[in-house]
């Protein structure tokens, strides 16, 4: 699985986690969250997540239950801008910048070696530490551009709200995530346990979602709510046009 596909699965997994924990019932905003039942806390966290214009999404774990742990760290917004990267452990990593109609990618040598075994070393040598640049609507990169769009993530939640089996929801004791107070809400169904840690003060954002079952384990953190995506993009000296890159020889070097 490429880093791009893993990123897409991580983002989709976070959305699925959010929708399976919630049903979309709007709760009042002036209650003490500790006094609310698990269903209302989950509903409130879903509504808060859907309302943001930008956020930082960090995921880590083994999404398909095999291979080394991978991680994803992206800041993204509803305009389709994003910045960050995907790390596949020993299988390589890719830095990602998307701004407006353009996207820049910088795969490392391990990525080319493991995911493009024929000619990957040639591409790595041509790039020589630079980004490859493409138009955001390039069909070869749709898995990247979709992950970079917060609206894609929101649609995954909205389109499926109320369709998932919610299992059994339970509320835990107040605890902390990264030093901030949260209330955990857990959905248990069979061997799967999915927990959302909802901010207990201020807007009830889900700041962490964990998924545990017999085969998979992962954690998704949300932060930087409504903070803008960094606007810096790679300079012309730091980029190679993807069309020119793919038109070069793919003989191993």
């Amino acid at each position: 699985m490429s880093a791009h596909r893993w990123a897409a699965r991580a983002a989709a997994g976070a959305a699925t986690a959010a929708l399976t924990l919630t049903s979309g019932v709007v709760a009042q905003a002036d209650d003490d969250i500790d006094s609310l039942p698990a269903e209302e806390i989950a509903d409130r966290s879903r509504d808060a997540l859907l309302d943001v214009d930008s956020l930082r999404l960090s995921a880590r774990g083994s999404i398909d239950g095999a291979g080394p742990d991978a991680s994803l760290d992206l800041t993204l917004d509803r305009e389709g801008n994003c910045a960050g990267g995907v790390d596949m452990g020993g299988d390589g990593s890719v830095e990602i910048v998307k701004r407006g109609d353009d996207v820049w990618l910088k795969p490392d040598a391990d990525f080319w070696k493991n995911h493009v075994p024929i000619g990957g070393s040639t591409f790595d040598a041509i790039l020589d530490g630079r980004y490859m640049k493409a138009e955001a609507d390039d069909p070869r990169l749709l898995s990247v551009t979709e992950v970079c769009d917060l609206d894609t993530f929101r649609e995954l939640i909205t389109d499926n709200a109320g369709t998932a089996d919610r299992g059994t929801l339970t509320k835990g004791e107040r605890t902390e995530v990264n030093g901030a107070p949260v209330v955990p809400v857990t959905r248990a169904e069979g061997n799967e346990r999915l927990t959302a840690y909802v901010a207990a003060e201020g807007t009830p954002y889900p700041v962490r979602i964990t998924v545990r079952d017999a085969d998979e384990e992962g954690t998704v953190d949300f932060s930087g709510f409504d903070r803008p995506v960094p606007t810096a993009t790679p300079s012309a000296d730091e980029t190679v046009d993807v069309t020119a890159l793919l038109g070069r020889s793919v003989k191993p070097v």
Side-chain angles (χ1 to χ4, degrees):
M1 178 183 297
S2 74
H4 305 157
R5 289 177 60 200
W6 188 88
R9 286 198 62 187
T16 301
L19 75 91
T20 54
L21 270 169
T22 64
S23 66
V25 178
V26 179
Q28 296 299 313
D30 56 357
D31 296 322
D32 181 353
I33 196 169
D34 294 86
S35 68
L36 299 176
E39 289 81 3
E40 278 196 68
I41 296 174
D43 292 339
R44 185 176 296 191
S45 71
R46 172 186 177 275
D47 293 335
L49 188 61
L50 286 174
D51 196 45
V52 299
D53 290 321
S54 59
L55 56 75
R56 180 179 178 182
L57 186 155
S58 302
R60 58 191 180 278
S62 178
I63 298 301
D64 57 8
D69 281 357
S71 63
L72 162 72
D73 192 344
L74 286 176
T75 301
L76 59 162
D77 66 22
R78 294 171 66 176
E79 301 300 319
N81 304 305
C82 77
V86 182
D87 188 335
M88 299 287 292
D91 287 341
S93 64
V94 181
E95 295 179 32
I96 304 170
V97 177
K98 181 177 177 293
R99 195 80 194 171
D101 296 328
D102 297 313
V103 61
W104 294 259
L105 305 174
K106 185 196 287 187
D108 68 0
D110 285 337
F111 176 89
W112 288 117
K113 176 182 177 181
N114 289 289
H115 298 283
V116 189
I118 299 177
S121 57
T122 297
F123 293 144
D124 185 42
I126 294 171
L127 286 172
D128 192 24
R130 294 173 292 178
Y131 289 82
M132 55 181 184
K133 180 182 179 182
E135 294 182 357
D137 61 359
D138 189 317
R140 294 166 294 188
L141 302 177
L142 286 180
S143 60
V144 178
T145 55
E146 289 177 354
V147 168
C148 279
D149 191 344
L150 183 57
D151 271 343
T152 299
F153 176 83
R154 294 172 71 254
E155 287 169 6
L156 284 168
I157 301 174
T158 303
D159 291 348
N160 293 280
T163 64
D165 183 354
R166 294 179 58 161
T168 302
L169 278 175
T170 57
K171 178 178 68 173
E173 296 293 327
R174 181 185 284 223
T175 183
E176 290 187 350
V177 169
N178 297 325
V182 296
V183 175
V185 176
T186 298
R187 179 179 67 83
E189 183 178 8
N191 293 324
E192 182 184 71
R193 290 180 61 83
L194 190 153
T195 302
Y197 296 85
V198 181
E201 298 177 355
T203 304
Y205 295 119
V207 297
R208 175 171 293 171
I209 294 176
T210 61
V211 181
R212 303 285 185 272
D213 63 26
D215 299 317
E216 299 182 348
E217 180 173 333
T219 300
V220 180
D221 284 352
F222 300 101
S223 61
F225 302 102
D226 288 327
R227 295 178 187 171
V229 176
T231 59
T233 59
S235 67
D237 292 340
E238 298 176 285
T239 65
V240 175
D241 182 83
V242 71
T243 302
L245 174 68
L246 297 180
R248 301 289 291 272
S249 169
V250 295
K251 294 180 180 180
V253 296

